[in-house]
Amino acid sequence: MAENKTQATDVAVADFIESVAHPVRRADAKVLDQVFRDVTGWTPRMWGPSIIGYGAYHYIYDSGREGDFLATGFSPRKANMVLYIMPGYQDFGGLLDRIGKHKIGKSCLYLTQLKHNDLDVIAELIRAGLDDLATRWPVRPS
C-alpha cells in the first residue's frame, strides 16, 4: 500500500516561515503560528514542503489503508492561507459565520489576509477541530 505523499520532515518551521516570499503572507504565518501554539501547546513541525503541522494522529481506514497525518496546521500558499482545522466530521457553520472572510474546502479553510478574520474565532475553530478529530483517532503532540 502506498504511503502518504505528505510526510513529517526535519525542516525548521521558523526557516520555512522566513522563506515565504510575500510579506503579508509571511507576517500572517507568524501570527497563525503563535495562535496554533497557544491553542495546542505544541511545537510545530513541517509536513511536506509547505505545511506547518501541530500534533499528529495515526489512522486506519476500513479499507486497511493507514498512516500518520498532522492533527491541525496551516500552509501559507501563494493565493491563500490554508488552514487544516476541520477534520470533515462535524458542521462548524456557527463558528464559520463569525470568522470573517473565508472559503471552505472539504477539510480546509481558505483565508486571504488575517486582517479580514477574527483570531479568537480561528482559535475556537482550531480547538473544536482537534476535539472533533480526537473522537475518532488518538491525537498526540508533535
Side-chain angles (χ1 to χ4, degrees), residues 59-105:
Y59 61 86
I60 303 173
Y61 295 141
D62 290 340
S63 67
R65 179 178 170 86
E66 66 180 287
D68 295 294
F69 202 62
L70 60 117
T72 190
F74 71 95
S75 180
R77 308 268 184 193
K78 192 173 196 174
N80 295 294
M81 188 69 75
V82 182
L83 282 66
Y84 301 93
I85 53 179
M86 302 179 300
Y89 304 116
Q90 182 177 319
D91 177 13
F92 293 109
L95 286 170
L96 293 173
D97 290 343
R98 301 180 6 238
I99 204 164
K101 188 176 176 182
H102 71 280
K103 293 181 183 177
I104 57 171

Side-chain angles (χ1 to χ4, degrees), residues 43-58:
T43 301
R45 69 183 302 188
M46 294 300 300
W47 285 76
S50 62
I51 300 174
I52 301 169
Y54 304 79
Y57 68 100
H58 184 79

